[in-house]
Structure formats: structure tokens, C-alpha cells
Amino acid sequence: CKIVYANYSKIIVVTKEGVHLTFRRRDDELYYMKVKRTKNDIRDGLVMEANEECEDKDEEEKSNNIGKVDINLLHEFLNHVGETQVRATAKKWELNLTGQFGVCGGCARGKARQANTNKVSDTQAEHPGERLFVDLTGPFQEFLTKNRYMAMAVDQKTSRIFHYFQKTKNQLAKNIEGLVEELKSKGFDVKFIRMDNGGENKAIVELCKRKGIVAEMTPPYTPQYNGVVERKFATIKNCATACMSVAGLDGETRGTLWAHAMDDTCIVHNIMPHNDYENCYEPFNEKPPVKMQDLLPWGTMGEMKIPGKQKNFKDKSEPVRRVGYDLNHPSDCYLVQKISNKQIVLTRDVT
């Protein structure tokens, strides 16, 4: 199916056979499709109604406008990025935006900040992977894997985010060395690494000496000199906070799911267009791991089929919350958290 129209009240999709299906939003913020019995023939699994008039002519007219989507709904599907990025993504994906970009309650709560400060301009990289901006944030509350820190390397040319979750600060150098070697194996040489004077970066300086990379150290108390990764951290954290706010999570649950929200937001960031590229994977000769049609808002509630055969009159599904994508599996596989026991599992059998 392909989405042809979407706003907060309904989503219209069209099947390969050209049949339009309408899903309407209810008070529980899920979308449902009404189904009615028919005496007419069923062909290819679809009900073929003869000479049936559309109950809502206005709805039929809208459904024919292929590619229309409400800008505020796309904003939610893209993990609450800014209006400029939403419009740029819609243009690249050939979507026609409807409506006006409104005030988002989740963004208001998750992105409140002080006024802007002056930024220091940098010499621009000429090739992907040439200059990386590296930083670390944390500690946060431990989640299931006991990690408390998030490391990030941002490629200046493409805006690609490479991110890692760590138990300690000392793991940063090992992750960056692995990234440098991975990029080199793909034909991309890292020539500059920008970082602050934190103690965890001393090992990266030694790495740069061994690899022939220029280590660009920022002066003390001037995070603006490493502004590319500093601002990216702020953006990712704010968007993740907005996602958790819209999902209605309490403080304790946010403390255990912050890494999943930030990981999800980084993935969504990388599949969107940046710096004249279709996405952040293209310049590195990679394909986006998540397809546009498989995107779902973070924290979406659904029902997951319980594996195996169930006994008579037992529920065949259980409520779950989507908390991420798994890059090692097909695009339509999701990481979900069971509401019953908070366990996180991988599934594609979720509705």
C-alpha cells in the first residue's frame, strides 16, 4: 500500500489494485478502518463493490491527490525535527504538504532553550569522511545494556551521524578507531578530527598520531569551536525528549528508554536529505536502512502477535510500544517494548 493522503484525523492508502482504504483516528490516537459485510463478489482478497457511490465526496477528491500529507503529521513521523527540515524532506520525497506548521506541544516541552549565541565558522571539508567532529554526552541513567554515555561523530561534509552507546568514557577512542578503519575500508580517508580537551580524548590524539590524522583541539570553555557536534547533540536530545513527551512516558520510563529514543532519532536524521544529498547514506555508497513507507512515530502503541499457537479463548496478541528500528533486519522489523513486563523484543508482526 501507498499513503496518498494523511492528516491528524485520517490516513488514506491505495493498494496495488487501486482500491482506496481510509483509516480514521480515534481518541486512543490509533487509526482504524471500518469494514462492512457485502453480498458482492470478493476477488484477490478485496471487496469489489459495483456502482457504489462514495459516502464522502470530499474525502474521495482528497484521496486522488497522490502524495498529499499534513505537514504536522510528517513532523511527528520524522521525530519532531524543525519545519525547514520537514519541508526539505517532503520536497526530496515528492510529497505535497498541506496545512500550516503549527505549535507542537511535544517540541515546546522538549526543545525549550536559551537565545542563540554566535557561532564560529569552520573550514569546510571537500569530501565525505574528511573531517569528523567528535564529542561525548552523559552520564545518563543506565538502561538495559548498562550504558550511560552516548558518543557521536558528525561528518562535516554530509552531516552523517555516527553514534555509539558506552558504559564508560574510555571506550570513546576504541569506537572512533573502529569508525576510522571502517571508512578507510570503503575508500574514505579521515584527515581531521575536531574534539575538546576532555581527558577521554587523549587516546584519540594518540590515534591521530598513528594514523596521520590532524587532531584539532578546541580551546577550553569554547564549545562553539566544536559546534557541529554540540548542536547535533542538542537537536537529537531535544527531538528524543519531544518523542517521549508525546508518547506520554513518565520520568522513570524515560530513564530506561532514552537511548532507544536517541538511537531512533539519529536513524531518522540520517535518512533525511542534508547538504544537497538525498540522504546521509548516499555519499558513503550505502542504502538507507529504513524505507519511507516503514516509518512510524516513536512510541506508537500497537498489538504484537504472540508467537506460537495459543490455547482456545486466549489472546493472540499483546500491547506493545514501538521503541526503535533494527538495522540488521528488514525495514519493516521493529523493536517494541512489551507493556506487560517492559521486555524489548524484535518483531514484524505488529499492527
Side-chain angles (χ1 to χ4, degrees):
C1 295
K2 180 179 180 181
I3 296 177
V4 296
Y5 181 81
N7 60 24
Y8 277 110
S9 62
K10 61 189 173 185
I11 296 177
I12 301 176
V13 300
V14 61
T15 67
K16 294 181 180 179
E17 292 79 6
V19 177
H20 290 72
L21 306 176
T22 301
F23 297 80
R24 296 186 181 278
R25 188 171 183 146
R26 294 184 180 176
D27 294 338
D28 57 4
E29 298 185 353
L30 297 178
Y31 292 85
Y32 297 85
M33 181 181 69
K34 290 185 177 180
V35 179
K36 65 179 181 179
R37 294 183 178 181
T38 176
K39 296 180 180 179
N40 294 326
D41 295 336
I42 296 179
R43 185 170 69 248
D44 296 331
L46 296 173
V47 178
M48 310 303 294
E49 298 277 354
N51 300 323
E52 181 182 20
E53 295 185 359
C54 181
E55 297 179 357
D56 188 348
K57 293 183 179 180
D58 182 59
E59 178 179 299
E60 182 181 32
E61 181 180 349
K62 289 181 179 179
S63 67
N64 291 328
N65 296 325
I66 304 298
K68 278 195 173 184
V69 59
D70 185 271
I71 186 172
N72 297 290
L73 185 64
L74 184 59
H75 166 73
E76 183 178 346
F77 271 69
L78 295 179
N79 285 37
H80 299 268
V81 297
E83 179 181 4
T84 301
Q85 187 63 61
V86 171
R87 293 188 180 280
T89 300
K91 183 177 180 180
K92 287 289 185 180
W93 289 355
E94 298 181 352
L95 298 175
N96 296 319
L97 295 177
T98 63
Q100 298 295 322
F101 193 82
V103 177
C104 173
C107 290
R109 293 186 294 270
K111 300 183 181 182
R113 60 180 178 84
Q114 295 178 335
N116 292 335
T117 58
N118 291 332
K119 308 294 189 305
V120 178
S121 61
D122 300 302
T123 303
Q124 294 296 311
E126 297 181 358
H127 306 286
E130 182 178 331
R131 175 180 274 111
L132 300 178
F133 292 79
V134 175
D135 201 6
L136 188 73
T137 185
F140 300 106
Q141 180 177 330
E142 289 185 1
F143 61 103
L144 298 179
T145 56
K146 306 299 182 182
N147 291 323
R148 301 182 63 199
Y149 297 90
M150 180 179 180
M152 183 183 291
V154 180
D155 177 51
Q156 185 185 38
K157 179 65 176 178
T158 65
S159 195
R160 169 80 175 267
I161 293 177
F162 302 92
H163 63 289
Y164 310 89
F165 296 101
Q166 307 176 176
K167 294 181 180 179
T168 66
K169 291 184 176 182
N170 296 333
Q171 294 175 289
L172 178 60
K174 182 179 180 180
N175 286 328
I176 297 303
E177 182 175 8
L179 174 60
V180 171
E181 294 177 353
E182 179 185 352
L183 291 176
K184 186 174 182 62
S185 69
K186 297 179 179 180
F188 302 96
D189 292 324
V190 178
K191 298 181 179 179
F192 306 91
I193 294 182
R194 177 75 59 89
M195 57 194 142
D196 59 31
N197 281 284
E200 66 276 5
N201 291 331
K202 292 181 179 180
I204 300 181
V205 175
E206 295 299 321
L207 168 67
C208 291
K209 291 179 180 179
R210 297 198 312 270
K211 300 288 187 180
I213 299 172
V214 178
E216 299 179 333
M217 311 301 293
T218 62
Y221 309 110
T222 54
Q224 294 89 346
Y225 279 88
N226 205 19
V228 172
V229 67
E230 294 281 355
R231 292 191 296 274
K232 199 67 71 177
F233 259 134
T235 298
I236 296 301
K237 285 194 287 188
N238 288 343
C239 289
T241 302
C243 289
M244 290 188 287
S245 178
V246 171
L249 303 187
D250 56 30
E252 180 180 358
T253 306
R254 294 188 191 194
T256 60
L257 293 179
W258 65 267
H260 290 283
M262 294 180 72
D263 177 67
D264 195 87
T265 303
C266 287
I267 293 172
V268 172
H269 168 279
N270 284 339
I271 69 175
M272 291 188 290
H274 292 278
N275 300 352
D276 297 326
Y277 293 104
E278 292 288 336
N279 54 71
C280 295
Y281 295 95
E282 174 199 352
F284 293 94
N285 302 321
E286 300 175 18
K287 293 183 178 180
V290 180
K291 300 177 182 178
M292 179 184 69
Q293 60 266 31
D294 294 325
L295 285 174
L296 286 176
W298 192 92
T300 300
M301 297 296 297
E303 291 287 329
M304 179 186 71
K305 182 183 181 301
I306 300 175
K309 187 176 181 180
Q310 303 303 308
K311 296 182 180 179
N312 292 333
F313 309 114
K314 292 288 186 179
D315 291 342
K316 296 182 179 181
S317 67
E318 60 178 313
V320 294
R321 173 186 291 111
R322 194 193 74 80
V323 296
Y325 303 100
D326 191 304
L327 304 188
N328 297 319
H329 291 81
S331 178
D332 60 349
C333 291
Y334 303 100
L335 290 172
V336 298
Q337 183 185 48
K338 296 181 180 180
I339 302 303
S340 58
N341 58 11
K342 308 302 181 185
Q343 181 184 5
I344 294 178
V345 297
L346 177 68
T347 182
R348 66 188 301 272
D349 298 322
V350 61
T351 56

